[in-house]
Amino acid sequence: MASKASWDTLTHSGKTLKRARAGNTVLACLTPCIQRSMATETEFSVDQIRSQVEKFLPEATSSPFYDPKAQVLTTVHSFPSMEPTQFEYYPSNQLFLPFRRDILHRAVIFEGDKTRQGTASTKWRYEVHGGLRKLRPQKGTGAARLGDRKSPMLKGGGVAFGPKPRDFSTDLPRKIYDLAWRTALSYRYRRGQLIVVEDKMDLDEPSVGLLRHIFDAHGWTGGSGTPMVVTKKHRRNLFHALEQSGRNGQAKTQDDVDVKDLLSMSRVVIERRALKSILQTHSSDLDHKIARA
């Protein structure tokens, strides 16, 4: 009876491993090494197990763990049919970074402060036209003390502590800002909301109806949200149709888009050359140069 119980246990464990082998790549590489009921009883070293696991890391692009040496797979589509044409590999430190809310917050604040005009201007007391004569005596009238006609308490007087033109821009290290760019793109990629298309994405004519038909066919409107279209250069028909359509989406070139734009819309439809240019521009923190004496 003891041998039968142990045989049943091994058979049950074998079925469990076979079932896990089809659904988990890590267990698939460990199954030939583990032939006992408990995985901790294996005689293989940690280095041998690690070498087996690392064989599957480049293929497991949907893994939630970040590996800076791995690559992620991206499908390139043709516009407007959105049929897959080819595959592209990108380093995980460009499109598979972990989500950093603090980095994105600093980048959005930095961009918002930079776009503030700071042109508000008021006249203070010494800038208003008028004399310096005291309007009434200091005492004896029963009224409050009052100075000249330029007092902020009077109509037409100066403004007390009013705004003056100033620069609202703040500083942010270049490496942190570049990291925020790639973090925003990685956030879209992890959620399946980064759609890479072929270059020269444009419409045959600037038709709003044609644009709505294309977006409705791919589920880019309604409850699923609107896309942010990013191109390498200005596409006249596509940009005109999006401007006239109103709520169907936005279109910007790679020079006009920022981190907030990548996060504000529901998905990002970007040209392959535009994505490559953005990743090359915002990769200063990846350049490890050795300082020379």
Side-chain angles (χ1 to χ4, degrees), residues 12-218:
H12 178 71
S13 300
K15 290 181 179 179
T16 303
L17 290 176
K18 288 181 179 180
R19 192 177 298 114
R21 183 184 306 177
N24 194 323
T25 57
V26 178
L27 286 180
C29 65
L30 293 180
T31 301
C33 305
I34 304 172
Q35 300 294 339
R36 299 178 182 177
S37 59
M38 296 295 291
T40 54
E41 297 180 3
T42 180
E43 298 179 355
F44 288 85
S45 62
V46 177
D47 296 335
Q48 292 176 343
I49 296 177
R50 183 179 301 171
S51 62
Q52 293 287 336
V53 174
E54 289 178 351
K55 295 179 180 179
F56 292 86
L57 284 178
E59 301 177 1
T61 57
S62 60
S63 173
F65 301 103
Y66 168 66
D67 183 8
K69 297 182 180 180
Q71 292 183 338
V72 294
L73 182 65
T74 304
T75 305
V76 182
H77 304 81
S78 62
F79 186 84
S81 62
M82 300 308 296
E83 294 181 356
T85 57
Q86 59 181 331
F87 297 100
E88 289 259 348
Y89 282 96
Y90 292 91
S92 60
N93 56 10
Q94 292 184 347
L95 289 184
F96 208 69
L97 291 173
F99 183 71
R100 291 288 303 274
R101 188 184 301 271
D102 55 335
I103 297 294
L104 296 177
H105 177 265
R106 294 183 62 179
V108 172
I109 296 299
F110 167 73
E111 293 173 348
D113 293 341
K114 190 176 181 180
T115 56
R116 295 186 65 176
Q117 295 182 356
T119 56
S121 179
T122 57
K123 289 185 177 181
W124 292 357
R125 184 168 186 165
Y126 65 87
E127 296 175 324
V128 177
H129 178 72
L132 300 177
R133 182 179 63 86
K134 190 175 177 62
L135 296 181
R136 57 173 176 252
Q138 181 79 359
K139 297 178 179 295
T141 61
R145 295 173 291 181
L146 186 62
D148 54 28
R149 60 180 302 180
K150 298 186 294 182
S151 172
M153 296 185 296
L154 299 178
K155 182 179 179 180
V159 179
F161 309 107
K164 284 292 184 179
R166 53 168 294 190
D167 183 13
F168 285 93
S169 62
T170 55
D171 295 333
L172 184 67
R174 172 67 183 275
K175 294 185 177 181
I176 295 181
Y177 188 58
D178 291 347
L179 179 61
W181 267 89
R182 302 198 314 277
T183 302
L185 292 172
S186 301
Y187 171 75
R188 290 302 182 190
Y189 177 82
R190 285 175 175 268
R191 297 172 62 92
Q193 298 171 349
L194 181 65
I195 304 173
V196 184
V197 299
E198 292 286 351
D199 299 331
K200 298 181 180 180
M201 177 176 54
D202 202 356
L203 299 175
D204 296 335
E205 56 183 7
S207 173
V208 178
L210 176 60
L211 180 68
R212 291 178 179 175
H213 176 73
I214 295 174
F215 282 13
D216 291 339
H218 301 304

